Amino acid sequence: MDDVVLKAWRGTVGDAGAGVALLAIGGYGRGELFPCSDVDLLILRPAHVDLKLEARIGEFIALLWDAGAAPSHSVREHAACLEAARTDLSFATALLEGRPLAGDAEAARTLLLAAADDGCRSAHDFLVAKRDELRARHDKLLDSANRLEPTIKEVPGGLRDLQTVLWVARRTLGLKRFDELASHGLLDAEELATLEDGRALLERIRFGLHALAGRREERLSFDAQLKLARQFGHED
């Protein structure tokens, strides 16, 4: 995907000068894409942008759609990014996993450092906000329908819960992987193995759901349960 995105960028925006940068954020930023995942992008621009640059950015996004990449993008200048990170928890979380791809690398790095600074949103505030977000999501999805046909990404014990652990660990301790939590004494060997095995199974199921539907699909319906069980070699 990096090859596709960078080729499209070079063919449209190219070297647009100081203050213009392309960043992978969210799931794409952390290098986690499923067959029909959105490609999360942030285009960093100067405070004042000319019409020519706006047109080139539009061409870049259109080219990605034509290539089937399904971009989910925003175009913001530095101050607007930090304001969004203060007020929008989802954007703050996506920036936490930001990865510069092209353009002004120094401007991109400066933004990512500022977004992870306590002056933007403190580590404590981030932890509390993600905890409250997790609890609200659990309360919403604990009905019987979601137990029988779970949304593999969002239900309690799903992929979003595992991601939340790592987001909080990254923001508060600078740790990015479960094995790093284990090496710091926050998980024992059995807990680490359970988490990694569970994540591998959930990712395999999510990949299978996308492949079965030919689109982004997260619900493990009764029909999908049967089809994936057969694909995984399970027998009645």
Side-chain angles (χ1 to χ4, degrees):
M1 187 56 69
D2 281 357
D3 289 342
V4 171
V5 169
L6 289 172
K7 187 172 183 179
W9 179 266
R10 295 185 189 110
T12 53
V13 180
D15 184 8
V20 180
L22 176 66
L23 296 90
I25 60 174
Y28 181 37
R30 67 176 173 269
E32 181 179 285
L33 287 178
F34 292 82
C36 301
S37 292
D38 288 342
V39 178
D40 299 319
L41 295 169
L42 170 64
I43 299 170
L44 184 63
R45 66 168 181 81
H48 302 286
V49 60
D50 59 38
L51 294 178
K52 184 177 180 181
L53 177 57
E54 287 186 353
R56 289 158 68 186
I57 291 173
E59 291 172 4
F60 166 67
I61 298 301
L63 191 55
L64 289 181
W65 277 112
D66 290 344
S72 175
H73 72 285
S74 60
V75 183
R76 290 186 169 104
E77 50 100 7
H78 181 95
C81 287
L82 295 184
E83 179 60 27
R86 294 185 190 101
T87 59
D88 183 342
L89 183 60
S90 294
F91 186 69
T93 305
L95 269 186
L96 192 63
E97 300 175 305
R99 178 166 58 93
L101 292 174
D104 188 338
E106 185 58 33
R109 283 193 292 269
T110 299
L111 170 65
L112 295 177
L113 287 172
D117 186 80
D118 280 355
C120 180
R121 183 194 288 262
S122 73
H124 176 268
D125 287 347
F126 182 83
L127 183 152
V128 170
K130 295 307 287 188
R131 180 201 63 189
D132 293 347
E133 179 186 64
L134 180 145
R135 288 175 175 172
R137 175 166 47 80
H138 282 193
D139 290 343
K140 182 179 178 181
L141 296 172
L142 276 174
D143 57 28
S144 59
N146 281 294
R147 290 175 184 271
L148 295 171
E149 296 183 293
T151 303
I152 207 73
K153 183 177 176 181
E154 300 288 348
V155 293
L159 284 166
R160 184 66 80 205
D161 282 5
L162 300 182
Q163 291 165 355
T164 298
V165 172
L166 293 178
W167 287 329
V168 170
R170 182 188 293 246
R171 182 63 185 87
T172 58
L173 300 170
L175 307 178
K176 300 178 182 180
R177 303 189 311 271
F178 286 126
D179 62 341
E180 293 179 336
L181 270 69
S183 67
H184 280 71
L186 298 171
L187 295 171
D188 63 32
E190 183 178 354
E191 289 169 334
L192 176 61
T194 299
L195 277 173
E196 293 290 15
D197 289 347
R199 179 167 65 173
L201 176 59
L202 290 169
E203 289 179 344
R204 189 180 180 200
I205 293 170
R206 190 181 182 200
F207 193 104
L209 288 172
H210 283 210
L212 281 176
R215 56 182 170 78
R216 187 173 57 184
E217 177 58 70
E218 316 297 350
R219 183 171 294 280
L220 186 56
S221 66
F222 292 133
D223 183 56
Q225 289 173 35
L226 290 171
K227 291 178 179 177
L228 290 180
R230 294 189 190 104
Q231 287 188 16
F232 292 178
H234 300 312
E235 296 182 3
D236 193 330

